[in-house]
Amino acid sequence: MEVSPLVWGLTIAGIVGLLVFDFVFHVRKAHVPTLREATLWSALYVGLAVLFGLGVLVLAGTPAGSEYFAGYVTEKALSIDNLFVFLILMTSFRVPREDQQKVLLFGIVFSLVARTGFIFLGSALINSFAWVFYLFGLILLLTAGNMLKPTDGESRTADNIVVRLGRKIFHTTDYFDGDKLFTVHEGKRAMTPMLFVMLAIGGTDILFALDSIPAIFGLTQSTFIVFTATAFSLLGLRQLFFLIDGLLERLIYLSYGLAAILGFIGIKLILHALHENNVPFINDGKPVPVVEISTGLSLSVIIGVLTLTIVASLLSRAGKARTAIAGARRHATSYLDAEYTVDPAERERIFRLLLSERDQIVALGPKYRQEVRDEPALMALLERARESHDAAVARGEAPPAGPSKILPRR
């Protein structure tokens, strides 16, 4: 697919323009997006991505259009997995709710820059060395295997080597000063947690790029399609975070679906490498006659696997249990954190969610109550949140919660 410099320039300008628009009109002023705002803008960005894909389909043909949509759907699914890590990072660093948009936008911009670098590097390698397809396929198969390993989502932390090293070398604070990266603490210039959470997100973005770029190169070798599908999958990710915030833990089978997709693409890459083989010790450097997987079949498999895993996650009682448990712990911690938000409506929204999650935990039954790690500590945390809310009601700072209570009175 040949793309003129003019089209490249207009495309890049359009994407940068959307990011600048997002910052100026939505992110610059700290606030918590409403559900309506998040829904409208998420739909708008998805609509723009679909319109762009239809343009590719009409102007460049069905093969290019199919490659774009396969790449976009794959990258969007991987981006949702990124959001789960972003949630863990912001919870661990106690990022105020109003400032989470800035952190997310930084993560999106940094991810786009990092992935663009990997895209052009990958394209150069593919054009120079055919054996790179073997390497990309192996990376995806190893990544798929790692995704199948069991992990404890509640126990993951945000501390990585960059953050630990920064805390040892530089003067830092334990509190936020708005959205400032530096502040004055004890008469000295100090780094705030806002800088560290951005460093942590930047580090994870690089790791995610190492997985996502080989995946999309397994679907298309067009640099333009790889770049645009990746960029459009990242645009709107900030709004999507606030839209599906409560559903992230619910997607308990998403990692299995992504593992299946990455494994499938890894096999597709290796088959393509065998078909184009020139490695001397494989078939004497001659191409191997193997079946290649078409882009249409790839798109069908990707959509089918994602649909199956998302539906299975939403219907799973274990998923509902984990969602309620993780959400209750996170919302209780946030409610008790005086620095989490200054918006009374947001605090009340958190408490209402807490009431619903507590009721779900109580109704789980013995089988799913086992999902609760350290249940007495969790129930004590919920009790402290209820007492804090009761105190706020007594001071006239919050409306009564109604007849439902966090914990039954003894």
Side-chain angles (χ1 to χ4, degrees):
M1 180 178 173
E2 295 295 328
V3 180
S4 68
L6 176 62
V7 173
W8 265 107
L10 291 174
T11 302
I12 293 172
I15 290 169
V16 172
L18 287 172
L19 290 171
V20 172
F21 174 85
D22 210 15
F23 174 77
V24 172
F25 291 97
H26 295 105
V27 176
R28 185 171 59 175
K29 182 180 179 181
H31 72 286
V32 180
T34 64
L35 180 62
R36 181 175 180 273
E37 178 185 340
T39 302
L40 286 175
W41 286 103
S42 293
L44 176 64
Y45 280 111
V46 171
L48 288 174
V50 171
L51 284 175
F52 185 88
L54 292 175
V56 172
L57 192 69
V58 171
L59 298 176
T62 301
S66 299
E67 289 174 0
Y68 168 83
F69 281 112
Y72 173 74
V73 173
T74 301
E75 291 296 307
K76 198 68 175 179
L78 290 170
S79 296
I80 293 175
D81 196 46
N82 295 13
L83 287 182
F84 188 78
V85 177
F86 287 174
L87 175 64
I88 293 172
L89 289 172
M90 287 193 286
T91 301
S92 299
F93 281 101
R94 300 170 52 244
V95 179
R97 186 71 167 175
E98 290 84 358
D99 294 320
Q100 288 181 3
Q101 292 199 95
K102 289 187 175 68
V103 175
L104 287 166
L105 187 61
F106 168 83
I108 291 167
V109 172
F110 189 91
S111 182
L112 183 57
V113 171
R115 294 185 191 202
T116 299
F118 280 115
I119 286 168
F120 285 103
L121 175 61
S123 179
L125 289 173
I126 287 171
N127 290 331
S128 302
F129 309 102
W131 55 262
V132 169
F133 287 109
Y134 287 113
L135 177 61
F136 281 2
L138 181 60
I139 289 173
L140 293 183
L141 290 175
L142 291 174
T143 302
N146 286 331
M147 281 189 163
L148 294 176
K149 294 179 180 178
T151 57
D152 182 0
E154 293 182 42
S155 64
R156 283 185 276 185
T157 64
D159 259 353
N160 59 32
I161 188 169
V162 175
V163 174
R164 291 197 299 271
L165 188 62
R167 291 190 188 279
K168 289 181 180 179
I169 296 176
F170 301 103
H171 185 53
T172 64
T173 69
D174 293 327
Y175 60 87
F176 287 84
D177 186 4
D179 60 357
K180 294 180 181 177
L181 303 181
F182 297 90
T183 189
V184 176
H185 177 65
E186 297 177 350
K188 298 179 182 178
R189 187 174 175 81
M191 295 181 177
T192 69
M194 181 65 77
L195 178 59
F196 282 109
V197 71
M198 288 186 174
L199 288 174
I201 283 181
T204 58
D205 279 337
I206 292 174
L207 294 177
F208 280 127
L210 292 174
D211 298 333
S212 69
I213 298 308
I216 194 169
F217 269 118
L219 299 168
T220 177
Q221 280 79 63
S222 168
T223 306
F224 182 76
I225 291 178
V226 171
F227 172 75
T228 51
T230 300
F232 277 107
S233 73
L234 292 171
L235 291 172
L237 204 58
R238 174 186 64 80
Q239 293 88 344
L240 189 62
F241 176 85
F242 290 97
L243 182 61
I244 66 171
D245 187 0
L247 286 176
L248 287 174
E249 290 99 344
R250 183 76 170 270
L251 302 177
I252 62 172
Y253 300 127
L254 180 62
S255 60
Y256 297 106
L258 291 176
I261 290 170
L262 293 181
F264 172 80
I265 297 175
I267 293 171
K268 182 178 187 292
L269 274 170
I270 291 175
L271 289 174
H272 180 74
L274 289 170
H275 190 267
E276 303 289 333
N277 179 63
N278 60 8
V279 178
F281 57 83
I282 299 177
N283 198 36
D284 296 325
K286 300 176 182 177
V288 180
V290 294
V291 175
E292 287 209 80
I293 300 172
S294 68
T295 303
L297 177 59
S298 299
L299 181 58
S300 300
V301 169
I302 291 166
I303 293 176
V305 170
L306 284 176
T307 302
L308 179 63
T309 53
I310 290 173
V311 171
S313 296
L314 295 177
L315 295 177
S316 167
R317 290 200 65 191
K320 294 178 182 178
R322 292 187 191 181
T323 303
I325 293 163
R329 182 174 281 115
R330 189 173 79 251
H331 290 133
T333 302
S334 299
Y335 188 82
L336 292 169
D337 185 355
E339 296 182 1
Y340 178 71
T341 181
V342 295
D343 184 356
E346 174 64 15
R347 289 184 62 80
E348 189 60 25
R349 185 189 71 86
I350 295 171
F351 188 75
R352 296 288 174 179
L353 287 173
L354 199 53
L355 289 177
S356 174
E357 289 155 351
R358 179 266 165 190
D359 291 341
Q360 292 177 47
I361 293 173
V362 171
L364 287 177
K367 178 180 178 181
Y368 296 103
R369 286 285 284 274
Q370 295 175 4
E371 297 280 349
V372 182
R373 180 172 56 85
D374 197 4
E375 183 178 353
L378 174 59
M379 291 305 176
L381 181 67
L382 299 184
E383 176 67 17
R384 290 202 305 275
R386 184 190 63 77
E387 291 172 351
S388 176
H389 186 268
D390 287 349
V393 171
R395 295 192 302 268
E397 298 174 0
S404 179
K405 293 180 168 50
I406 286 289
L407 287 178
R409 295 287 190 182
R410 293 181 178 85

